[in-house]
Amino acid sequence: MAEEAQRKPRLPAPHTNGLSKPAPPPAAPRAAPGGGAASKKLVIKNFRERPKLPDNYTQDTWQKLHEAVGAIQSSVSIKYNLEELYQAVENLCSYKVSATLYKQLRQVCEDHVKAQILQFREYPFLTQKWRCTDSLDSLLFLKKINKCWQDHCRQMIMIRSIFLFLDRTYVLQNSMLPSIWDMGLELFRNHVISDKQVQNKTIDGILLLIERERNGEAVDRSLLRSLLSMLSDLQQVYKESFEQRFLEETNCLYAAEGQRLMQEREVPEYLHHVNKRLEEEGDRVITYLDHSTQKPLIACVEKQLLGEHLSAILQKGLDNLLDENRISDLTQTYQLFSRVKGGQQILLQHWSEYIKNFGTTIVVNPEKDKDMVQELLDFKDKVDHIIEVCFQKNEKFINLMKESFETFINKRPNKPAELIAKYVDSKLRAGNKEATDEELERILDKIMIIFRFIHGKDVFEAFYKKDLAKRLLVGKSASVDAEKSMLSKLKHECGAAFTSKLEGMFKDMELSKDVMVQFKQYMQNQSDPGNIDLTVNILTMGYWPTYTPMEVHLNSEMIKLQEVFKNFYLGKHSGRKLQWQTTLGHAVLKAEFKEGKKEFQVSLFQTLVLLMFNEGDEFSFEDIKMATGVEDSELRRTLQSLACGKARVLIKNPKGKDVEDGDKFIFNGDFKHKLFRIKINQIQMKETVEEQVSTTERVFQDRQYQIDAAIVRIMKMRKTLGHNLLVSELYNQLKFPVKPGDLKKRIESLIDRDYMERDKDNPNQYHYVA
């Protein structure tokens, strides 16, 4: 072949005698004259015979290489040039002695490695007790085995550099043969580390160093890194001999430690320790353990220190962490529990239970009613902050928090809804200086979140409507913008039907302003406009709360003005009926005292009482009752506000907080006050209790009507329906909580009133009666 003919053997010059020279190449073909060329075939011939190696060349060359390997293994200088040795290997490989050369090299290396085991037999191999009694002996042993390994690696690197040509040709072409480096690893594994005594003492020593480090002692980490790298390089020795024992000991260590520390330490301290342990083990993987050990090692620590104690940790300390708002500890709890299978789920359960239990204590205790809503808002802010900062805004925690709030807030029907309405009233009422417009808006947004959890929203509506009416009629609303903002939020949350009556109240107030402009123009054209400036609000009965009319004795000027307004209004709106609500009336009275003139903002009942003192300076309770016509309990509260409050325009005789029969009242001519216009509030306590009862009763009555209407609506559409299906439809349509027993009563009532009837053959089947 052409390739063989051109390749010349590289041999030392003194040994070239007797080699055949290659035949001279044939002459190149020439072109024939006249442009035509005779075609000739180019033939390249092989050597007539292969060049022969000089006698003893192979033996002499191996001797040199053997000496060089011996010098490397003995850590002495090599007397031959490395390039010359490399060339010698290449020459031998070129003449088909690669197999012999590989075997000879392996044998030399094997003999050397076998001799290394003798130095370790000098160390006494004791029982497991040496781990406790003779750690120094263990450390010296580890250093010696490490030196042996390091020397072996250094030697094999140098040997491979000399025999590189052999490694890259013959060994590479024979897949069954290990490379020179792998051969060295195999020899070290087979003749040193596979020795049971050496292997056991090596692994025992490594485990002892790791145990000492876990106990807080400083150890030689570079030695550990080198030895564990050795076991890892020796293929299955790390996995089969070291890792298995290492994980078993780790498991035992942390199982015992977890049991002990759970008894000794508080939860935050224990969790801090767990976190520290996890960081330490992670650092070990980075520093000296094989990366493949990380997953089983960390899983072992998590299981023994966390997984086995999940419920115990939460039962022992979660409530305290939440009560004390321990943000950093709660963050750590969430992070650690998220690492363990089932950890988040059990944390979720305890989280939900805590919210329900804590929230229930706020809602069910009547003694806390005064502060219930503020406490609910504060609690909601707290759990929101914990979810955002500690629980990483986890949707599962958010959703379960909402479910838990809905559960506990409805454990006490109606009352939370009533108190939320009262709380909104306190924030929207004039004189509330606690918040700016922006802060008030934020408070209303938070209120709406709590409001969403309530089932009986009709209770809220009833109380909200009653309080809104007072704010609008008495001019107590802090801000029209805030009122309309709240209305908008309710409309967005509950729909237009929920707020239609509330919106009607605002429309009535705006229309009333227009009516009063026209009425004042009308009064200017009267021959006797009078001294009283009358303002009337026209309220559509369906929009406003139901007020019980109370007949009282107005003075002649008031009666005359009422008639004038009645004629004016009905003249413009024929067919309408006006009903005066004296309980909602209020006035501004001018009065003269020794100190000077004052003005009083008072209710209509207070006005009637005070106007009596234009006719005399002293009247008895019975005189006032007969003259004013005010109902007994209402009159007693009215006189209390005038004679027993802060602004005592009247003097009660005898003195006392309560108004009794026979008490006399005297005009207080010496009355003094720093303000010119003074508002005298009506005593509201008993009235409020009565109002609450009546409002709740109205809501209950409205619910009866809504249930009846829903039943009739469903039956009219379906004509025939079974009891269970009817109840199911009602639950879907009704927007307030209702018990099955209440539904059954309403069905019975409608059957009695002939809106529907029972099937003759099936008492659980109903038919609509057209």
Side-chain angles (χ1 to χ4, degrees), residues 306-366:
L306 284 173
E308 298 292 333
H309 308 286
L310 292 175
S311 292
I313 290 169
L314 296 178
Q315 288 169 3
K316 185 177 180 181
L318 182 64
D319 285 5
N320 287 338
L321 297 184
L322 291 167
D323 285 342
E324 296 169 15
N325 209 26
R326 303 271 287 273
I327 297 300
S328 61
D329 292 329
L330 287 168
T331 303
Q332 188 171 67
T333 303
Y334 175 80
Q335 290 171 347
L336 289 174
F337 273 61
S338 297
R339 300 178 69 135
V340 184
K341 185 179 180 181
Q344 263 196 21
Q345 190 57 41
I346 197 166
L347 182 58
L348 270 169
Q349 292 168 6
H350 281 76
W351 165 247
S352 174
E353 287 304 312
Y354 174 81
I355 293 174
K356 289 175 188 174
N357 293 337
F358 191 92
T360 301
T361 61
I362 297 174
V363 170
V364 300
N365 187 356

Side-chain angles (χ1 to χ4, degrees), residues 202-394:
T202 301
I203 292 171
D204 284 347
I206 292 171
L207 291 174
L208 177 61
L209 283 183
I210 294 173
E211 182 183 325
R212 286 169 56 192
E213 187 181 50
R214 281 172 170 166
N215 291 333
E217 296 181 43
V219 299
D220 188 345
R221 291 186 131 205
S222 62
L223 176 61
L224 279 171
R225 181 165 54 247
S226 178
L227 290 169
L228 289 167
S229 176
M230 171 189 76
L231 297 181
S232 186
D233 288 344
L234 298 177
Q235 296 179 4
Q236 295 305 313
V237 179
Y238 182 90
K239 280 284 178 191
E240 294 176 359
S241 301
F242 167 76
E243 187 179 75
Q244 187 177 353
R245 279 191 58 192
F246 170 68
L247 292 175
E248 286 173 1
E249 293 205 3
T250 301
N251 201 60
C252 292
L253 168 72
Y254 288 125
E257 185 173 277
Q259 292 288 347
R260 177 171 54 82
L261 294 182
M262 271 301 295
Q263 301 297 323
E264 296 175 0
R265 300 191 179 183
E266 294 300 317
V267 166
E269 189 182 0
Y270 180 79
L271 292 176
H272 180 73
H273 176 79
V274 174
N275 203 51
K276 180 169 169 282
R277 282 302 202 192
L278 286 166
E279 287 175 358
E280 287 173 359
E281 298 303 336
D283 182 54
R284 280 187 189 94
V285 174
I286 294 169
T287 308
Y288 52 74
L289 292 171
D290 190 87
H291 184 70
S292 64
T293 309
Q294 180 176 18
K295 193 172 181 180
L297 173 60
I298 298 302
C300 173
V301 181
E302 289 172 347
K303 180 178 183 295
Q304 295 303 336
L305 294 184
L306 284 173
E308 298 292 333
H309 308 286
L310 292 175
S311 292
I313 290 169
L314 296 178
Q315 288 169 3
K316 185 177 180 181
L318 182 64
D319 285 5
N320 287 338
L321 297 184
L322 291 167
D323 285 342
E324 296 169 15
N325 209 26
R326 303 271 287 273
I327 297 300
S328 61
D329 292 329
L330 287 168
T331 303
Q332 188 171 67
T333 303
Y334 175 80
Q335 290 171 347
L336 289 174
F337 273 61
S338 297
R339 300 178 69 135
V340 184
K341 185 179 180 181
Q344 263 196 21
Q345 190 57 41
I346 197 166
L347 182 58
L348 270 169
Q349 292 168 6
H350 281 76
W351 165 247
S352 174
E353 287 304 312
Y354 174 81
I355 293 174
K356 289 175 188 174
N357 293 337
F358 191 92
T360 301
T361 61
I362 297 174
V363 170
V364 300
N365 187 356
E367 294 178 3
K368 288 190 172 185
D369 284 357
K370 183 180 178 182
D371 302 314
M372 180 199 291
V373 178
Q374 188 59 54
E375 286 189 24
L376 285 173
L377 291 173
D378 293 342
F379 184 47
K380 181 65 170 54
D381 284 344
K382 176 181 172 178
V383 296
D384 284 345
H385 183 67
I386 289 170
I387 288 173
E388 183 175 354
V389 177
C390 307
F391 299 161
Q392 300 176 4
K393 301 179 183 177
N394 188 314

Side-chain angles (χ1 to χ4, degrees), residues 16 120 308 459 518 751 759:
T16 56
F120 300 111
E308 298 292 333
V459 176
Q518 296 170 16
I751 291 172
D759 189 273

Side-chain angles (χ1 to χ4, degrees), residues 75-87:
S75 299
V76 298
S77 60
I78 306 168
K79 61 183 178 180
Y80 304 104
N81 183 281
L82 290 177
E83 187 177 351
E84 181 183 345
L85 294 171
Y86 179 88
Q87 186 66 57

